[in-house]
Amino acid sequence: MEDLWPSPSPAAAAMFRSLCEWLMADADALADAIARPAMLASAHGDAALLADASLMAEDRELNRADIVQWLTSNIQHPGRRVDPYVGPRSAAYVADLVSRGIAPDFVAGWRAALIIGWRRWLELCTAKCPDPDLLVEVLAVSAHSLVQYALDSVAMVREVSLAASMGNADAQTLAMIQLIVGGAPMTQDIAEERLGYRMGCRHVALILWTDAPDQDGALDEAVATLRAASRSGTMLVARATSASRWIWLSGQDVPDLHQVARAVADVRRVRAAVGRPGHGLEAFRSSHEDALAAHVMLTRLESDRRFTVYSDVELIDSLTKDRVGAQRFVTKTLGALATADATLRQALLTYVQCGFNTTRAAARLYLHRNTVERRVSRANELSVVKVEDNPTYVAAALLVLELAPELVTTASG
């Protein structure tokens, strides 16, 4: 691409290269710092974008790719104009946005990213470049480079969006689904006609996803397995993103979640979040909202659980919206038990869930009654809050750790 500013001097080029090499080691942390502010700025409150964990995860990865592209280019050719990052993942992400009718404000997103990125660059430059004249030259060239990179990247995304909007087969289905789940006025007859899916019966919503976008074949396999296991009812599948599928299962009876869990377990690398079953158009909407909330929570907690029913973890979702607050709650409630042997926590949680009945807990854990008694006693000794004093707090803290066992160890590390 044509340079629009003078090339840096040899000394400035050498300093530029060194600064980029230093910052490359911090690319993940910088991407984490940029991701949420940039997403909030570009979303402008669009619930469809902010509620989808797959889109948010992919946006974060593309932020990192943009950072690495700029740093790598400047290590190779310091101070030169940088080509925007273009790859299969960025094209797939934009296509997913287009098919969902989501139109982020990419300019606002880049503006938010530049504010954070430029501050980090200034801190690094002033710490590593003691010569004032050299510092001024490096900052002048890098300002040109960063701003132009943002402008070129926004223009590239708009071109890709335009190309993706020309003939997307899933766009109409996804548009109708988003109208329904977004609460738009809609009769049941119209919804059924447009989607080819029965609304006037029992159904449940699922989100299937993978943590690697190149595993869409595994998603297709999971959908086929699920379809084979759900022959008695109907199934609606929408390709939400390259890494996720939105699914609704319906029938005269509540879909068997054990059957759904087995179908998902048969396919490696695929995970599932499930909403509450319900009846009619409102349940179509609310069950999907449950599944979305479970997906976002699992992503927020960096949990590797493969199958999650939102009704089982709704309390945990509320407790963990503030990660630091959740860590503090668990630590202050469980104390040393939070980092003790997991079998102690499992025994105490099962004991509470079984109504403080040791015999029932032993049967559920396939352990001898005396073993359960010893583990419960030891767990209660380690816990700051005793189970007999506040079983609700203890159970809630144990459930948080069951879902995200690294929550406390990560904080202490």
Side-chain angles (χ1 to χ4, degrees):
M1 299 180 73
E2 179 186 0
D3 285 335
L4 303 177
W5 55 89
S7 297
S9 67
M15 177 55 67
F16 211 127
R17 179 180 290 110
S18 296
L19 291 167
C20 288
E21 289 171 346
W22 275 314
L23 195 54
M24 181 68 84
D26 202 31
D28 285 329
L30 183 56
D32 287 337
I34 285 173
R36 184 157 184 80
M39 171 68 84
L40 290 173
S42 63
H44 277 311
D46 189 330
L49 181 55
L50 296 175
D52 193 313
S54 288
L55 288 178
M56 289 193 293
E58 194 62 11
D59 184 78
R60 187 263 178 205
E61 288 302 313
L62 293 177
N63 279 326
R64 185 185 184 283
D66 282 327
I67 292 168
V68 170
Q69 172 80 352
W70 189 80
L71 293 174
T72 302
S73 296
N74 278 293
I75 290 171
Q76 296 171 346
H77 307 289
R80 300 277 296 275
R81 188 176 180 182
V82 178
D83 290 334
Y85 169 73
V86 182
R89 291 188 70 167
S90 57
Y93 175 66
V94 172
D96 290 337
L97 294 175
V98 170
S99 68
R100 300 267 294 277
I102 299 173
D105 185 342
F106 292 111
V107 173
W110 266 97
R111 185 183 298 116
L114 281 175
I115 290 171
I116 297 169
W118 180 248
R119 181 181 179 85
R120 178 71 184 93
W121 182 253
L122 280 176
E123 292 171 348
L124 186 63
C125 288
T126 53
K128 301 291 186 180
C129 189
D131 184 334
D133 292 334
L134 186 60
L135 175 60
V136 170
E137 183 181 359
V138 169
L139 290 176
V141 173
S142 56
H144 280 301
S145 180
L146 276 171
V147 171
Q148 191 61 49
Y149 184 56
L151 293 173
D152 291 341
S153 296
V154 169
M156 181 274 296
V157 169
R158 285 173 173 165
E159 289 180 10
V160 175
S161 298
L162 182 61
S165 66
M166 308 200 38
N168 189 314
D170 294 327
Q172 289 187 349
T173 296
L174 278 167
M176 175 56 63
I177 287 173
Q178 292 202 148
L179 283 174
I180 297 171
V181 300
M186 182 80 58
T187 67
Q188 183 171 295
D189 291 343
I190 291 177
E192 290 183 342
E193 179 184 349
R194 298 285 179 85
L195 295 178
Y197 173 83
R198 292 184 59 200
M199 293 287 178
C201 56
R202 300 284 291 178
H203 41 215
V204 65
L206 297 82
I207 294 176
L208 295 185
W209 79 95
T210 69
D211 294 319
D214 60 346
Q215 298 293 335
D216 55 346
L219 281 173
D220 294 337
E221 181 183 349
V223 169
T225 302
L226 196 56
R227 196 182 298 277
S230 309
R231 294 174 184 168
S232 59
T234 59
M235 181 172 170
L236 174 64
V237 180
R239 184 187 183 281
T241 72
S242 58
S244 64
R245 303 291 184 270
W246 291 351
I247 297 174
W248 285 263
L249 302 172
S250 70
Q252 292 303 317
D253 301 315
V254 176
D256 186 346
L257 296 186
H258 294 293
Q259 190 178 51
V260 173
R262 286 195 298 271
V264 172
D266 287 340
V267 183
R268 294 179 58 195
R269 302 181 300 276
V270 172
R271 305 169 66 189
V274 186
R276 294 180 183 83
H279 187 279
L281 193 61
E282 178 54 37
F284 181 92
R285 178 185 299 117
S286 63
S287 187
H288 179 68
E289 289 174 347
D290 285 350
L292 282 175
H295 187 189
V296 169
M297 180 196 68
L298 294 169
T299 302
R300 181 176 68 240
L301 295 177
E302 300 175 355
S303 173
D304 59 1
R305 179 180 285 195
R306 289 193 60 200
F307 188 84
T308 304
V309 179
Y310 186 64
S311 58
D312 293 340
V313 297
E314 185 173 12
L315 173 62
I316 309 308
D317 185 27
S318 299
L319 286 173
T320 58
K321 289 191 186 302
D322 172 8
R323 187 181 179 90
V324 174
Q327 291 167 341
R328 185 169 57 249
F329 168 73
V330 169
T331 302
K332 288 186 176 296
T333 301
L334 300 182
L337 180 58
T339 53
D341 191 328
T343 59
L344 298 179
R345 295 195 298 272
Q346 182 186 39
L348 185 58
L349 177 59
T350 306
Y351 174 68
V352 176
Q353 291 173 331
C354 290
F356 308 98
N357 187 307
T358 308
T359 302
R360 287 174 57 198
R364 182 180 293 185
L365 293 169
Y366 300 101
L367 294 173
H368 192 280
R369 189 175 187 277
N370 291 344
T371 301
V372 173
E373 285 182 345
R374 285 196 300 271
R375 290 182 181 178
V376 167
S377 177
R378 178 56 181 157
N380 207 29
E381 287 176 5
L382 293 173
S383 181
V384 173
V385 177
K386 307 306 176 186
V387 69
E388 62 271 16
D389 295 333
N390 198 330
T392 302
Y393 269 45
V394 172
L398 290 170
L399 282 168
V400 171
L401 283 187
E402 183 184 50
L403 194 66
E406 302 300 319
L407 185 72
V408 172
T409 55
T410 300
S412 61

